[in-house]
Amino acid sequence: MGESFHAAAGPALLAVWPISEPVSVAHYMAVGAVMFVAGVVCMAVKRNALGVLMGIELVLNGANINFVALSSPYLRGLGDPGGGLGLDGQVTALFVILLAAAEAAVALAITLNFYNNHATVDVDRGEDLKG
Amino acid sequence: MDASSTLPFLLGLAWLAPLVSFAAILFYGPRMGPHGRDAARLATAAIATSLVLSLLAAGVWVSNHPVVAVSHGGADHGAVGDDGAAGPGGAADGHQEAAAAGESAHGHADDGHGAGGHGAPLPPSYSGDWYTLYEAGGLTLSIGWWIDALTVLMFVVVTLIATCIHVYASGYMHDELHDVTDHEVTLADGHHLHRPGRFPRFFQALSLFCFSMLGIVIAGNLAMVFIFWELVGICSWFLIGFYFERHSASTAANKAFIVNRVGDFGMLIGLMALWGALGTLHFGDRVVADDLGTPVNRQGLFSLVRPPARGHALTVPDGMVAAEAAADVAAIVRTGAADPAAAATAVAANVEGWRSRGLGRWLLFVAGVGIFCGCVGKSAQFPLFVWLPDAMEGPTPVSALVHSATMVAAGVYLVGRFYPVLTPDVLFVIAVIGAITLFIAATIALVANDIKRVLAYSTVSQLGYMMLALGVGGWAAGLFHLVTHAFFKSLLFLCSGSVIHACHTNDMRRMGGLLRTMPATAWTMLVGCLAIIGAGIPFVIGTSGYYSKDAILAQALSFANANPGRGWLFLAVAGGAFLTAFYMFRLWFMTFLGSPRDHHVAEHAHESPDVMVRPLLVLAVLAVVAGWTLPGGFGIANLIEQARPAGTGGIESSGYLFPGLTIPAEHESHVGAVHVTATLTAFATATAGVLLAAAMYWWKILSPGLVAGLFRPVYTFLANRWYVDELYDAVFVKPVLALAGLASGADRRIIDRIIDGVAWSARRIAGIDAWIDRWVVDGLVDATADVTWNAGLELKKLQTGRLRQYVLFIALGTVALFVLVSFLYRTALAG
């Protein structure tokens, strides 16, 4: 992906801003990247455990957007000679959603327990295992 | 009553009773009544039981073998032979019957032409084994019995005297019932030794002593004799060293034991010579099963050396002949190796020829002298008599027991028991040793001042008499003196013990005038003195010593007549009789007559308690009557005569090492000319001795000091006991100590040095090894651990526990990885 993206999208973004061309795979990927970075920043700066969890959701869903975007038939070429449904990205995204749900359940349980023990959800207070 | 089964039973029980007492006191002694007082009762009861059983056995014996007079004419030997011949038939012990009957048949068949008129009757005897300890090939070690008139007599004598001594000791040793303060032992802090009493221990050892002595007497083979021989030795060690805190007592005990070991070494050589050549140590014949189970008669020592087939004449046994003719035997066997049976026959055919060449006699001589060596040690003969006077360190009852019925009697008894095996040469050696002993000991006794030492030297001297008597052919005379001496010597010792008990000193120079304060002791001791010098009205009646000593003198005179060049033996005996009379009455006069020399001692003196006096009275009576022969012929002398070993008592004139040696027949000494001369000599010497002693110590006509001054060098020589102890000290003790010093020096300087060097090197090498271990091996391990530890410490700082930091690290790390990978990717493309 790297070569074409860098070669085509870079000058084009600077040149045609605001939106003047049809929505393409690159746009989706831009949204995913923004979500991903927002999630990471959220995780890094939030002290509230729930905030961190939200950051995690953002990261995961940013990744999902990328999966779905890169699964686009336009990108892959129509009439895929390899056969198949061409839904690989979507399926992976569904797995990630499933995983995120399970992870959220576990994480929330940990958070509840953490609250029970420390009367707070500030992740900076959770340093009992520090070496 | 069947004597063959009754006698071993009775005497076996009599023998074991003191062992039971010993074992009981060993385990329960201190708990027997207050301070173990009842131990004495138990020990006395045990030995009294033995006495009763021995007397019963004696009764059985006499009823089976009536004691009758032995007539002394040469023509009467047929009668003796008949009397004896009646013995074996009845005597044959159950399983031995066939063998004994066979023997007697042989003996009589040869009577006419073999034994030169001596009927060679078999003395009645019983032998057998109770228990076989060990059996391997030809060697059989067993606990068995050999019972004849001598055994029975010795049992009665030993148990009778031991009983008296037990009773006496229970009074004498009463100090041991409480804590004792021993004034002869000074501890390092200047106080006298204070110790608990050892009453039970004394009687425990006394019981074991009696058991051991009875074991020697009843023993049926030499191996058993040797076992109990050594037991007697260890018992004497216990008892002489009873006051072992006293240095003199412990030294004396060691001396007695070690000196005896020297003699026992010779005895071991004798045992080896006998067993090596003859393959048996049993006295009597035995019936044993051979390989096929058929009973065969295996000859004992007595019938090997004096074969019945040769009329019991002294014969070098085939085994010894073959052993000395080993070279010839080897030659025969080598040539006839193909047929062993034929070779054996050839050897057997040649034995007679070798025997006539004198082969084997040396071995028989060595065996006899070897056994005698053991007796030299036990019976305190020259040159091993030095232990006996020192043995006076033991309590007086022990001295009495050691000096009369046990220990020293064992040596004489063994020579008597072993008599058939002794060749004339051995007998002459015995006689010479006995003569030297009796003379040396008697001279030392002349000047001794310790009452017990006088008696000790007198014992040595009397033992010399016995040995000499045995050596000159007076078998019955020597053993008769052993019995009578046992009575009067135990009496004398117990009297001296009574005196010491009263005066608390052994020194006769501090006594005197005790006749008034202790009359019973004084008179009984006078009886003892009269008995030991052999006092009596010549040819009429006398004390026991009169009979036994006359018999010895007569035999010595008979020997002197037969061997003109060796007459000095008789002079030694006669001179000894004079010296005996002198020193015994010197002792009695110094102790009991005159005025008290030391008032301190005289004031303390008192008669001893009844428990001590009664045994004195019993023994005094016995010291007088023991030698008497009743009109019917009943008496100890004739009882001993019953046990005379077959074939002995005749003339033995086959000097081998000592040419021309003739051992006269004992009955020759009863011939009028000899007997009268001997009796008159004995009477004259004894009277002279008593008169001289009276002149010096009673009437004070002669001053002892003046006499001593006249013979100053002799006196000094005697007072120093012939310097024998000093001589042994210089010749044996000092060199041995010097050698031991040398050996210990070599040990310390050379062997220890080498070992130290080895240890030093090992230590050095170990040091290097330790350095390598510490700095190289441990260093590597430690370094690994340090690195790991420090890495852990450093990495620990990364684990902050801050979640946000981790997220940052992950993000930054991912970006960094991404940048790195892209960078590398590009470079790779460019490349």
Side-chain angles (χ1 to χ4, degrees), chain B residues 515-682:
Chain B
L515 180 60
R516 251 161 293 140
T517 41
M518 11 188 1
T521 304
W523 291 118
T524 48
M525 194 155 192
L526 180 63
V527 171
C529 289
L530 287 172
I532 197 173
I533 69 167
I537 306 163
F539 313 116
V540 181
I541 198 167
T543 54
S544 59
Y546 163 76
Y547 298 99
S548 56
K549 203 167 251 187
D550 272 12
I552 293 176
L553 251 76
Q555 181 65 25
L557 183 57
S558 168
F559 180 83
N561 291 339
N563 299 273
R566 301 184 172 98
W568 56 273
L569 283 176
F570 176 71
L571 295 182
V573 177
F578 169 73
L579 296 177
T580 307
F582 177 78
Y583 66 70
M584 285 317 298
F585 272 85
R586 168 175 176 268
L587 181 154
W588 197 80
F589 291 143
M590 276 180 88
T591 308
F592 294 107
L593 293 186
S595 53
R597 295 186 189 77
D598 186 330
H599 288 282
H600 185 67
V601 168
E603 281 162 19
H604 267 276
H606 57 89
E607 187 58 276
S608 299
D610 279 353
V611 71
M612 286 167 69
V613 171
R614 278 189 203 121
L616 298 184
L617 297 175
V618 173
L619 287 172
V621 172
L622 285 167
V624 174
V625 306
W628 291 356
T629 301
L630 299 182
F634 185 82
I636 288 177
N638 287 331
L639 187 63
I640 292 174
E641 197 62 47
Q642 260 191 349
R644 174 179 293 283
T648 64
I651 298 176
E652 305 263 10
S653 56
S654 46
Y656 168 57
L657 294 176
F658 309 106
L661 180 69
T662 303
I663 305 290
E666 193 164 9
H667 61 80
E668 299 293 340
S669 67
H670 306 306
V671 170
V674 177
H675 187 61
V676 170
T677 318
T679 306
L680 290 179
T681 313

Side-chain angles (χ1 to χ4, degrees), chain A residues 33-86:
Chain A
V34 169
M35 278 177 71
F36 185 87
V37 172
V40 168
V41 171
C42 180
M43 279 162 69
V45 300
K46 277 296 196 184
R47 284 164 54 183
N48 190 320
L50 298 176
V52 174
L53 285 177
M54 288 176 191
I56 291 170
E57 294 299 325
L58 279 176
V59 166
L60 289 173
N61 285 307
N64 277 346
I65 289 175
N66 269 8
F67 279 124
V68 173
L70 289 172
S71 179
S72 161
Y74 298 104
L75 196 58
R76 292 154 47 105
L78 290 169
D80 182 4
L85 295 176

Side-chain angles (χ1 to χ4, degrees), chain B residues 8 15-16 95 127-135 140-145 220-221 223-224 227-228 282 286:
Chain B
W15 169 45
L16 292 176
H95 57 271
S127 63
D129 284 344
W130 276 299
Y131 182 70
T132 302
L133 292 172
Y134 177 73
E135 196 159 16
T140 305
L141 298 182
S142 60
I143 298 296
W145 70 87
N221 58 69
M224 184 177 165
I227 293 171
F228 287 94
H282 277 76
R286 292 180 301 144

Side-chain angles (χ1 to χ4, degrees), chain B residues 395-486:
Chain B
T396 304
V398 175
S399 309
L401 197 60
V402 165
H403 283 240
S404 55
T406 62
M407 188 100 180
V408 298
V412 180
Y413 173 80
L414 184 59
V415 172
R417 170 61 73 222
F418 204 61
Y419 196 72
V421 185
L422 304 177
T423 64
D425 304 301
V426 180
L427 291 180
F428 186 64
V429 171
I430 294 176
V432 170
I433 294 286
I436 296 174
T437 309
L438 89 87
F439 186 69
I440 292 183
T443 52
I444 297 174
L446 295 180
V447 296
N449 284 318
D450 181 323
I451 186 168
K452 278 176 77 180
R453 276 183 187 263
V454 173
L455 291 177
Y457 280 111
S458 126
T459 304
V460 176
S461 175
Q462 299 300 313
L463 290 166
Y465 265 104
M466 298 170 207
M467 286 297 184
L468 184 140
L470 290 162
V472 296
W475 182 82
L479 292 173
F480 189 27
H481 197 57
L482 173 65
V483 172
T484 57
H485 174 261

Side-chain angles (χ1 to χ4, degrees), chain A residues 123-124 126-127 130, chain B residues 798-807:
Chain A
V123 289
D124 282 355
E127 51 184 19
K130 190 171 79 169
Chain B
L798 288 179
Q799 195 186 8
T800 57
R802 294 203 191 99
L803 202 56
R804 293 177 295 130
Q805 204 175 23
Y806 294 169
V807 172

Side-chain angles (χ1 to χ4, degrees), chain B residues 247-434:
Chain B
H247 182 250
S248 57
S250 60
T251 318
N254 288 338
K255 188 173 177 182
F257 197 74
I258 292 167
V259 170
N260 267 298
R261 296 304 312 164
V262 176
D264 292 343
F265 184 69
M267 186 164 177
L268 273 177
I269 292 175
L271 286 175
M272 284 187 273
L274 285 168
W275 183 68
L278 303 180
T280 182
L281 292 173
H282 277 76
F283 291 138
D285 296 355
R286 292 180 301 144
V287 174
V288 292
D290 65 1
D291 295 341
L292 303 172
T294 342
V296 292
N297 182 37
R298 183 162 297 164
Q299 287 187 304
L301 291 178
F302 292 168
S303 42
L304 279 170
V305 177
R306 291 179 181 271
R310 291 166 183 265
H312 301 288
L314 184 69
T315 312
V316 180
D318 294 356
M320 288 190 170
V321 175
E324 233 174 85
D328 296 333
V329 172
I332 292 175
V333 171
R334 214 177 290 124
T335 53
D339 189 357
T345 320
V347 170
N350 276 308
V351 162
E352 209 53 53
W354 293 328
R355 198 193 330 265
S356 62
R357 271 163 52 198
L359 290 178
R361 303 194 60 163
W362 173 246
L363 202 51
L364 193 55
F365 178 75
V366 168
V369 169
I371 299 294
F372 177 62
C373 275
C375 304
V376 165
K378 273 283 177 292
S379 282
Q381 298 295 294
F382 175 83
L384 300 181
F385 64 91
V386 288
W387 67 268
L388 192 61
D390 286 18
M392 294 301 101
E393 291 296 337
T396 304
V398 175
S399 309
L401 197 60
V402 165
H403 283 240
S404 55
T406 62
M407 188 100 180
V408 298
V412 180
Y413 173 80
L414 184 59
V415 172
R417 170 61 73 222
F418 204 61
Y419 196 72
V421 185
L422 304 177
T423 64
D425 304 301
V426 180
L427 291 180
F428 186 64
V429 171
I430 294 176
V432 170
I433 294 286

